[in-house]
Amino acid sequence: AARPHGGWHALLLGAASAAISTLPALRDPLQLSQALLLLFLLYPLALVDLATLTIEPALVVGGIALRMAVVLGLQRAAVVQMLGGLLAGAGLLALVGFAYQWLRGREGLGEGDAAVLGLVGAFVGWQGILPVVLLATICGVLAGVPALLLLRRPLDTPLPFAPFLCLAGLVVYLAQAQGWLLFGLLPPLN
């Protein structure tokens, strides 16, 4: 069955892919392929979370497996950085989610959000986790609070957080690839 807005998604992905491929630091085919892989993993994750407030586990697990295969096969020096980012990302949001649930008696972050940050962490390394979380939180608050107010919904209405993690993860990855120091915290990618 045809998807009603499939053409727009293809156009958006094509434009994003073209923009990414013009970045000077991504002239190396391996770096470019990893940036495009990240884009093509995060885009559907964000869309599914926006529509359903759930995360597609197969995309997360498959993305981590692909990243791990590339790092183990072609970038062995980045294994520790990749594993550190995976564990720090998933662990940080899982810990925050457990703490919130313990303090408030209800779920505040879904388990899928921790999985998405783990996937992002596999690309940005442990050093990129804090900038991703800060940027995602800022974007989430700037977009979510006005949306809830406009829709006249309570401020404790569940909102998808993965789209903001996905956007922030891609921005931080590309900033690292360019050698930019986002928030003064980011080292360039190895």
Side-chain angles (χ1 to χ4, degrees), residues 97-108:
F98 289 136
Y100 184 89
Q101 189 165 14
W102 182 73
L103 290 170
R104 300 286 311 261
R106 61 188 173 103
E107 189 175 283

Side-chain angles (χ1 to χ4, degrees), residues 68-162:
M68 195 171 295
V70 169
V71 169
L72 289 174
L74 302 172
Q75 297 175 309
R76 289 203 180 231
V79 168
V80 172
Q81 183 179 355
M82 187 250 335
L83 289 175
L86 171 67
L87 296 174
L92 174 67
L93 278 195
L95 183 62
V96 169
F98 289 136
Y100 184 89
Q101 189 165 14
W102 182 73
L103 290 170
R104 300 286 311 261
R106 61 188 173 103
E107 189 175 283
L109 281 173
E111 294 170 5
D113 296 325
V116 170
L117 189 56
L119 170 64
V120 168
F123 283 83
V124 300
W126 64 269
Q127 306 92 330
I129 294 298
L130 183 57
V132 168
V133 171
L134 288 173
L135 188 57
T137 302
I138 290 167
C139 291
V141 168
L142 291 176
V145 171
L148 290 175
L149 293 174
L150 286 171
L151 296 171
R152 298 180 190 265
R153 300 251 169 93
L155 291 178
D156 63 351
T157 300
L159 293 172
F161 188 50

Side-chain angles (χ1 to χ4, degrees), residues 19-100:
I20 287 171
S21 66
T22 64
L23 294 174
L26 297 177
R27 298 279 185 239
D28 172 36
L30 179 60
Q31 286 286 9
L32 178 59
S33 70
Q34 291 301 283
L36 293 174
L37 173 62
L38 186 59
L39 170 67
F40 280 84
L41 289 167
L42 296 181
Y43 187 75
L45 282 169
L47 288 180
V48 169
D49 194 35
L50 272 171
T52 66
L53 289 175
T54 61
I55 299 300
E56 181 55 50
L59 278 172
V60 174
V61 172
I64 291 169
L66 284 170
R67 176 67 175 154
M68 195 171 295
V70 169
V71 169
L72 289 174
L74 302 172
Q75 297 175 309
R76 289 203 180 231
V79 168
V80 172
Q81 183 179 355
M82 187 250 335
L83 289 175
L86 171 67
L87 296 174
L92 174 67
L93 278 195
L95 183 62
V96 169
F98 289 136
Y100 184 89

